[in-house]
Amino acid sequence: MLSEKLIFGTAGVPKSTKASNSIAGIERVRELGLGCMELEFVQGVRMSEKGAANVLEIARKENIALSVHAPYYINLNSPEEEKLKASMERIYQSARIGSLCGAESIVLHAAFYQKNSKETVYENVSKALQELTGQLRDEDIHAVLRPETMGKTTQFGTLEEVLSLSEEIEGVMPCLDFSHMHAREGKENSYPEFMSILSKVENSLGKQGLENMHMHVSGIEYDRNGEKRHLTLEESDFNYPELLRALKEFGVKGLVICESPIMEEDALLLKKTYMEL
């Protein structure tokens, strides 16, 4: 379900949820007045098909949009065939189970540069994603793979890299983590810079790219190597009001997932700030 507007939610089950399962999380997201939740498969895909059917049912009932974050243990640039295959299997299972939950977007950390040139890494990631999207199409699994913009300079995932993959491969779209983009070089934190990022998305993917966005936002601590850890919005220097102003200016639609340590409080802060613009 494409969002008709910009909706805000949490990266995983809200901290204030009484039980720590996805169904309780979805119900809590609705109680809080938020609109979406990212299912965190980050330690592995441990949900059964039956569990996914239950999640789908409750998400539809509560009208909560879902997305999935695939496991962290993924490197589509691994020189070891076994590790590459395992990475692809984790993405595939995330998409398969995620789609049964009704999640359309599967966020992934694509690769590490290691000792390779950026061009070689790009080719390796592109080849793997083409194979995966082809498999998902063949099996009629409706899921979009979203490589994330990453916060460390050792990680594959600049804005240019994820946009280029999205242009090139059907079934791939970006996950824009604005906090990561800021942490990567200490820039990308003003209204003109946010407007420039969104212009690049529009130039690359057209209006449709802006109307089907998946975004991560949190406070962030960083040094010259990039991201160190997530912070609350108020503890950080991240200029979220100006980001929200740029999103409104461009008429962006989609999901804003808050990854801060107090994710539901900060998701509500983002929503409130956006509504007041």
Side-chain angles (χ1 to χ4, degrees):
M1 109 185 154
L2 273 183
S3 169
E4 290 306 305
K5 53 184 191 293
L6 206 57
I7 52 177
F8 298 85
T10 58
V13 174
K15 300 274 199 307
S16 57
T17 313
K18 300 240 183 340
S20 62
N21 61 68
S22 299
I23 285 175
I26 292 164
E27 290 171 338
R28 181 66 184 136
V29 165
R30 168 51 60 222
E31 279 169 21
L32 288 162
L34 294 166
C36 55
M37 187 176 96
E38 191 174 80
L39 297 165
E40 301 298 309
F41 292 171
V42 293
Q43 303 303 330
V45 184
R46 301 196 178 123
M47 191 182 283
S48 66
E49 290 182 12
K50 187 174 184 301
N54 293 338
V55 167
L56 173 68
E57 187 186 345
I58 208 81
R60 282 188 174 161
K61 177 174 161 253
E62 301 291 356
N63 194 28
I64 297 298
L66 297 177
S67 60
V68 160
H69 198 305
Y72 289 142
Y73 309 109
I74 285 170
N75 183 8
L76 298 178
N77 182 46
S78 179
E80 298 169 53
E81 189 63 31
E82 209 173 292
K83 285 190 177 163
L84 177 60
K85 279 201 167 119
S87 291
M88 290 177 73
E89 179 64 16
R90 288 181 182 118
I91 296 169
Y92 167 74
Q93 291 299 347
S94 299
R96 187 178 74 82
I97 294 293
S99 73
L100 294 175
C101 293
E104 287 182 359
S105 292
I106 314 300
V107 175
L108 57 115
H109 297 176
F112 290 89
Y113 295 119
Q114 292 161 298
K115 294 185 171 68
N116 298 109
S117 73
K118 292 194 168 180
E119 292 71 28
T120 301
V121 182
Y122 182 90
E123 280 167 29
N124 291 342
V125 171
S126 174
K127 183 173 172 239
L129 290 177
Q130 285 182 44
E131 197 178 311
L132 278 161
T133 52
Q135 183 183 5
L136 296 178
R137 269 196 301 280
D138 291 346
E139 295 184 25
D140 208 23
I141 294 170
H142 298 284
V144 175
L145 302 182
R146 290 189 181 262
E148 185 176 338
T149 55
M150 298 305 296
K152 291 193 177 83
T153 49
T154 53
Q155 295 168 304
F156 174 91
T158 63
L159 177 65
E160 288 65 32
E161 284 165 342
V162 300
L163 286 179
S164 188
L165 288 168
S166 304
E167 269 184 74
E168 186 188 317
I169 308 168
E170 187 191 342
V172 171
M173 290 284 275
C175 169
L176 295 190
D177 188 316
F178 286 95
S179 309
H180 280 167
M181 284 189 266
H182 170 42
R184 198 172 178 111
E185 291 179 7
K187 302 175 191 162
E188 316 295 12
N189 198 32
S190 66
Y191 182 69
E193 287 168 313
F194 295 136
M195 292 293 280
S196 168
I197 290 169
L198 296 173
S199 289
K200 285 176 184 168
V201 174
E202 186 170 27
N203 291 339
S204 184
L205 306 175
K207 262 282 181 246
Q208 189 202 348
L210 294 172
E211 290 178 354
N212 180 11
M213 292 263 277
H214 192 286
M215 294 160 276
H216 285 168
V217 177
S218 74
I220 200 141
E221 183 187 338
Y222 56 92
D223 60 17
R224 61 195 173 82
N225 298 316
E227 172 194 16
K228 286 180 77 176
R229 65 188 176 111
H230 288 141
L231 300 172
T232 69
L233 289 170
E234 296 299 351
E235 279 177 319
S236 76
D237 69 351
F238 187 67
N239 196 349
Y240 68 91
E242 295 295 84
L243 167 63
L244 294 170
R245 191 154 75 90
L247 294 176
K248 190 148 236 181
E249 181 67 28
F250 266 88
V252 171
K253 296 174 186 173
L255 276 54
V256 177
I257 297 293
C258 183
E259 294 189 311
S260 100
I262 52 167
M263 54 188 172
E264 58 260 56
E265 289 163 55
D266 274 356
L268 287 165
L269 174 63
L270 289 168
K271 181 183 175 182
K272 177 173 179 281
T273 308
Y274 182 76
M275 300 307 269
E276 285 168 356
L277 285 172

